[in-house]
Amino acid sequence: MAVWGERLAGVRGVLLDISGVLFDGCTGGGVPIPGSVEAVARLKQSHLKVRFCTNESQKSRGKLVGLLQRLGFDISEGEVTSPAPAACQILKEQGLRPHLLVHDEILSEFDKIDTSNPNCVLIADAGDAFSYKNMNKAFQLLMELENPVLISLGKGRYYKETSGLMLDVGAYMKALEYACGIEAKVVGKPSPEFFKNALQVLGVEAHQAIMIGDDIVGDVGGAQRCGMRALQVRTGKFRPSDEHHPEVKADGYVDNLAEAVDLLLQHVDK
Amino acid sequence: MAVWGERLAGVRGVLLDISGVLFDGCTGGGVPIPGSVEAVARLKQSHLKVRFCTNESQKSRGKLVGLLQRLGFDISEGEVTSPAPAACQILKEQGLRPHLLVHDEILSEFDKIDTSNPNCVLIADAGDAFSYKNMNKAFQLLMELENPVLISLGKGRYYKETSGLMLDVGAYMKALEYACGIEAKVVGKPSPEFFKNALQVLGVEAHQAIMIGDDIVGDVGGAQRCGMRALQVRTGKFRPSDEHHPEVKADGYVDNLAEAVDLLLQHVDK
């Protein structure tokens, strides 16, 4: 189809979302989305540059990569752009000492961060740690600060586990924003800085890159606003209504990562 | 002061907020705000009509009134407009069967409501019941409905207990609104229907009524949008910045309910 040839012309680099594109998570593990292990391998054997760009904030980057390797994926920690390391850099640059409302599994990412006498709140996909008590503590701390700073690792509405859709950090970010009358700083997709950082490491310009994700707003809309192209896969949190989203239209919709890679390898100029 | 005479001219009925105006709550009870017990008594002995208008949704109306009576207030259940009974009427009228995410203490208000095979979600100030698990269940149910209906008993940002500020139902309403891409129906202040119902029972027109509350948006702004006047007390959740709120300006700010009642009894036409 000529249309795909036009849509994919000049692509030199690919950013891949992880959850819902490579695998669906579940308590204690996950299952690969059919065809995705082979699709990643084929993509990495091609002339295209590949980087993984995730908002995963319930596991450290090391644990996430370890899980993916056990599922059969060819992936290493250095190939992954994830929000916790990006947030640590911002915390250090701005002299911020966070109160952390995060999952235990990601605490290790903040080992070298001073968390004494907090002057900001950082939230991530904390799962069951989003108790009323913990939310109230974060709220009270923000209300006591003269300049309340709330950092959110992503602002996803929900994600998909094998057991069903799960509330993501964005919902709790909105709760604290409303209660405190503030606006959070989002570190992760769809923040432009986050995509730009991934592109810089990848070494391609935005117009030469394509994002493949399952989130019509966070992945597709965010990447397009940075000047990239973006495909939405019909896996993970994809819902049929996404193809008629009032604000975001992907450059293409594909059944899964395997189909996206087929199209890329078939149509992108060698 | 002539200015108060003008501000209060023609007032015939008074709506009183309860939490933060009559008393400050705490786990298992509460303490009266100094002067409020006597202020309510004086107001009820005057020629002014009085009704209580609360968003309390952590206790049933009966339990709230019982607590207030034990604290010394002259108040009966029939004098209180509260959101749970109003919500029950809407549920019945619209054939809605709610999944309830509420505090155990208020469950009895829904005794006569069919909650089988839910076709909507109703949330109230659930306190510790706002766990991730319970929020996720409400979220998943809404996402499964073709026309998701979320009813929220009030949309307060926070309230004050003796131990400090506490996140209110509005924060969790915002979380579910964002995650599901919907807008909740608010039953309670600042919904105009709620104020109008209270005025109707009181038997006065909006322009003859004044609201006294500690919430600049929910009490003061809501009442003013209905054509009432409104005073903010500097007790409960009041914060100094409320007096410079970008959108709402009270008809007057008073230190507490006792001062409000002094002014009313002094300046309102006999």
Side-chain angles (χ1 to χ4, degrees):
Chain A
M1 287 164 64
V3 64
W4 279 107
E6 284 168 32
R7 288 180 194 172
L8 302 176
V11 166
R12 290 185 48 225
V14 183
L15 291 183
L16 293 180
D17 179 30
I18 293 180
S19 175
V21 175
L22 268 53
F23 83 123
D24 283 323
C26 64
T27 310
V31 291
I33 289 168
S36 285
V37 169
E38 299 75 18
V40 169
R42 284 191 292 145
L43 204 52
K44 290 183 75 173
Q45 284 156 12
S46 79
H47 64 295
L48 292 167
K49 294 185 175 185
V50 181
R51 187 162 182 83
F52 302 90
C53 186
T54 180
N55 268 8
E56 172 66 48
S57 69
Q58 200 172 88
K59 289 180 192 66
S60 69
R61 188 160 59 162
K63 282 177 183 154
L64 175 64
V65 165
L67 168 63
L68 290 168
Q69 288 171 343
R70 285 195 299 283
L71 297 178
F73 287 98
D74 174 7
I75 186 170
S76 65
E77 217 173 315
E79 294 172 310
V80 177
T81 294
S82 66
C88 286
Q89 199 175 332
I90 290 168
L91 293 168
K92 283 180 195 163
E93 282 167 7
Q94 302 188 7
L96 292 169
R97 301 178 304 276
H99 168 76
L100 299 171
L101 176 43
V102 303
H103 198 284
D104 279 351
E105 292 275 304
I106 205 179
L107 273 175
S108 61
E109 298 264 23
F110 300 93
D111 270 352
K112 290 177 185 152
I113 298 293
D114 180 6
T115 55
S116 63
N117 188 21
N119 58 5
C120 76
V121 168
L122 184 148
I123 62 171
D125 174 17
D128 288 331
F130 278 134
S131 64
Y132 182 72
K133 192 178 156 197
N134 287 346
M135 280 291 284
N136 215 39
K137 185 165 179 188
F139 159 70
Q140 290 176 340
L141 201 146
L142 285 167
M143 292 295 277
E144 282 162 13
L145 295 173
E146 200 173 337
N147 291 308
V149 173
L150 172 63
I151 295 175
S152 182
L153 300 199
K155 61 172 193 175
R157 292 163 57 199
Y158 53 84
Y159 56 94
K160 183 167 174 263
E161 292 214 331
T162 52
S163 58
L165 300 181
M166 308 289 285
L167 275 177
D168 200 356
V169 63
Y172 289 90
M173 178 193 86
K174 287 288 172 186
L176 290 174
E177 283 187 339
Y178 175 71
C180 302
I182 59 174
E183 195 171 333
K185 174 170 179 60
V186 177
V187 178
K189 300 176 286 187
S191 148
E193 296 96 314
F194 193 72
F195 282 113
K196 283 174 191 162
N197 177 274
L199 288 174
Q200 196 173 15
V201 180
L202 196 60
V204 301
E205 301 290 324
H207 72 273
Q208 302 170 315
I210 194 161
M211 173 83 208
I212 301 174
D214 66 335
D215 187 324
I216 187 70
V217 173
D219 293 323
V220 176
Q224 288 176 336
R225 273 205 310 282
C226 285
M228 299 167 62
R229 281 162 276 183
L231 304 181
Q232 188 181 17
V233 290
R234 296 191 187 95
T235 55
K237 78 177 79 172
F238 168 83
R239 290 162 69 93
S241 59
D242 291 347
E243 297 193 33
H244 314 285
H245 192 279
E247 285 154 34
V248 183
K249 184 167 170 51
D251 294 278
Y253 301 87
V254 291
D255 283 345
N256 47 43
L257 179 61
E259 188 188 354
V261 171
D262 284 344
L263 290 164
L264 279 165
L265 298 185
Q266 195 180 336
H267 291 286
V268 170
D269 328 321
K270 301 292 180 304
Chain B
M1 286 165 62
V3 63
W4 279 108
E6 283 168 31
R7 287 179 195 174
L8 302 176
V11 166
R12 290 186 48 224
V14 183
L15 291 183
L16 293 181
D17 181 29
I18 293 180
S19 175
V21 176
L22 269 52
F23 83 121
D24 283 322
C26 64
T27 310
V31 291
I33 290 168
S36 285
V37 169
E38 298 74 18
V40 169
R42 284 191 292 145
L43 204 53
K44 291 183 75 172
Q45 285 156 11
S46 78
H47 63 293
L48 291 167
K49 293 185 176 187
V50 181
R51 188 164 181 83
F52 302 90
C53 186
T54 179
N55 268 7
E56 172 65 48
S57 69
Q58 200 173 89
K59 289 180 191 68
S60 68
R61 186 160 59 163
K63 281 178 185 154
L64 175 64
V65 166
L67 167 62
L68 290 167
Q69 287 172 343
R70 284 194 300 282
L71 295 178
F73 287 98
D74 175 7
I75 185 171
S76 65
E77 216 173 313
E79 294 173 308
V80 177
T81 294
S82 67
C88 286
Q89 198 175 334
I90 291 168
L91 292 168
K92 283 180 194 162
E93 283 167 7
Q94 302 187 6
L96 292 170
R97 299 178 305 275
H99 169 76
L100 298 171
L101 176 43
V102 303
H103 199 284
D104 279 351
E105 291 274 305
I106 204 180
L107 274 175
S108 61
E109 298 264 23
F110 299 93
D111 271 353
K112 291 178 182 151
I113 298 292
D114 180 6
T115 56
S116 64
N117 188 23
N119 58 5
C120 76
V121 168
L122 183 147
I123 61 171
D125 174 17
D128 287 332
F130 277 134
S131 64
Y132 182 73
K133 192 178 157 199
N134 286 346
M135 280 291 284
N136 215 38
K137 184 164 179 189
F139 159 70
Q140 290 177 339
L141 201 147
L142 285 168
M143 292 295 277
E144 282 162 13
L145 294 173
E146 199 174 336
N147 291 308
V149 173
L150 173 62
I151 295 174
S152 182
L153 301 198
K155 60 172 193 175
R157 292 162 58 199
Y158 53 85
Y159 56 93
K160 184 165 173 265
E161 292 215 333
T162 52
S163 59
L165 300 181
M166 307 290 284
L167 274 177
D168 199 358
V169 62
Y172 288 90
M173 178 193 86
K174 288 288 172 186
L176 289 173
E177 283 188 338
Y178 176 71
C180 302
I182 59 176
E183 194 170 334
K185 174 170 182 56
V186 176
V187 179
K189 300 176 285 186
S191 148
E193 295 97 314
F194 193 72
F195 282 113
K196 283 175 190 162
N197 177 274
L199 288 175
Q200 196 173 15
V201 180
L202 196 61
V204 301
E205 301 289 325
H207 73 273
Q208 303 170 316
I210 194 161
M211 172 83 209
I212 301 175
D214 66 336
D215 186 323
I216 186 69
V217 174
D219 293 324
V220 175
Q224 288 177 334
R225 274 206 309 284
C226 284
M228 299 166 63
R229 280 163 277 182
L231 304 181
Q232 189 182 17
V233 289
R234 296 192 187 96
T235 56
K237 77 177 81 172
F238 168 83
R239 290 162 69 93
S241 59
D242 291 347
E243 296 193 33
H244 315 284
H245 192 280
E247 285 155 34
V248 183
K249 184 166 169 50
D251 294 276
Y253 301 87
V254 290
D255 283 345
N256 47 43
L257 179 60
E259 187 188 354
V261 171
D262 283 345
L263 290 164
L264 279 165
L265 299 186
Q266 195 181 336
H267 292 286
V268 168
D269 328 317
K270 301 293 182 305

